Amino acid sequence: MLEVNNLSKKYKKSDTYSLKDISFNIDKSEIVGLIGSNGAGKTTLMKMIAKTLKPTSGEIYIPGENILEEENSLKNVNFMIEASFYKHINAYQNIKYYLEINNQYVSDEQIKEVMELVDLWKVREKKPSQFSFGMKQRLGLAMCLASEPEIVIMDEPFVGLDPKGVTILINRLKEWVYEKNMSILISSHQLSELEEICNRYLYIENGEIKKSFKNERNEVFVITLKTEISKEVIENYEDTITRGNEIHTKLKGDKLNNLINKLSTQNSIIKMERQDYLKKLFEEDNK
C-alpha cells in the first residue's frame, strides 16, 4: 500500500539531515506505529508523505505510483496532522465541506457512521468552538476517516482524550480498519495506546529508522545477576538474551519460573523486574 524508499530531507542552511535514507513498507489492513523522541523526524516524514514538504531525495509509492511525480496522487490518502475547522458551521457540516473541497463525495449515511465511530453523532449540530480539545481531536479523526481512504496518516490522534474514551475509540478503530481494508501510519507519545492498536513499530532516532519490530506486547522481564553470565546458560530459552550481568526475556509462566530456578541455583540474583520495551527505548534515547 505505502512504500517509502531512501527518503531524505536536508534543509539548505543545515549541515545535517532531518531525515536520512528512510525506507519502509506498510501493507493493507496494517497499523504501524511511528515512535521516537521529539525532533527525531516523525512529523517531517509525515509531511513529506502529505506532499507539504519536499524531500531532498527518495521516492514514495502509493500504491505502486510515485506520488512525488504525479498530480492528484493522494486521492486515496487522508491525513490527521494539524486539524483545522470552520467556526461558523457545525461539526457535521465541517466534515461534509472538508470532503467537498477535497473532491470526496460520500453519502450522509457514511458521515453518520464515522461520527458514531468517534462518538460525535449526538452533538453533530454543535460548532467546533463549543467542543473541548478532545472532541476537536475526534472531529479531526472523523474528517480523516469519512471518505474511507485506503491509507491514513495520523499524528498524535489520542492527545486530549480521556482513558476510557481512548480505549473505546481504539477498539472501534481496529474494527474499522479490518472492515474497510485500511492501512494506518500513526505517531504518538502515548505508548500504552500504541501497544493496543499497532501491529508493529518503526523507531526513529536522529532522522534514521533504528529499529522495526512487531508488536508482541513488548513486556520484558529483566533478571539482574551479581556477575556476568555466558550465553550458553540461556541458549535453550527462546526470546531470551544476555546483556552483561542482565538476562532479558519475554518468557512467561512455567517457562519463566524454570529459567529463574536455573539461575538461582547457579548464580546470585540481585533483582528481577518487568520493563516495557517501548518505554525503555525512549529512556535509552534520552540518556
Side-chain angles (χ1 to χ4, degrees), residues 253-266:
D254 292 339
K255 291 182 179 180
L256 176 60
N257 291 334
N258 182 276
L259 174 61
I260 293 172
N261 289 335
K262 182 176 181 179
L263 293 172
S264 63
T265 58
Q266 299 181 14

Side-chain angles (χ1 to χ4, degrees), residues 9-21:
K9 179 63 182 177
K10 184 179 180 182
Y11 292 95
K12 291 182 180 180
K13 296 182 179 180
S14 177
D15 295 327
T16 59
Y17 281 86
S18 298
L19 283 181
K20 189 174 182 180
D21 294 330

Side-chain angles (χ1 to χ4, degrees), residues 118-130:
V118 299
D119 197 26
L120 287 180
W121 178 247
K122 293 180 181 178
V123 293
R124 62 190 180 279
E125 295 183 359
K126 288 188 176 183
K127 296 178 180 179
S129 58
Q130 299 174 276

Side-chain angles (χ1 to χ4, degrees), residues 102-115:
N102 286 283
N103 296 315
Q104 297 172 329
Y105 299 95
V106 304
S107 67
D108 292 341
E109 186 61 33
Q110 199 165 319
I111 296 177
K112 178 182 178 181
E113 182 183 7
V114 77
M115 293 195 80

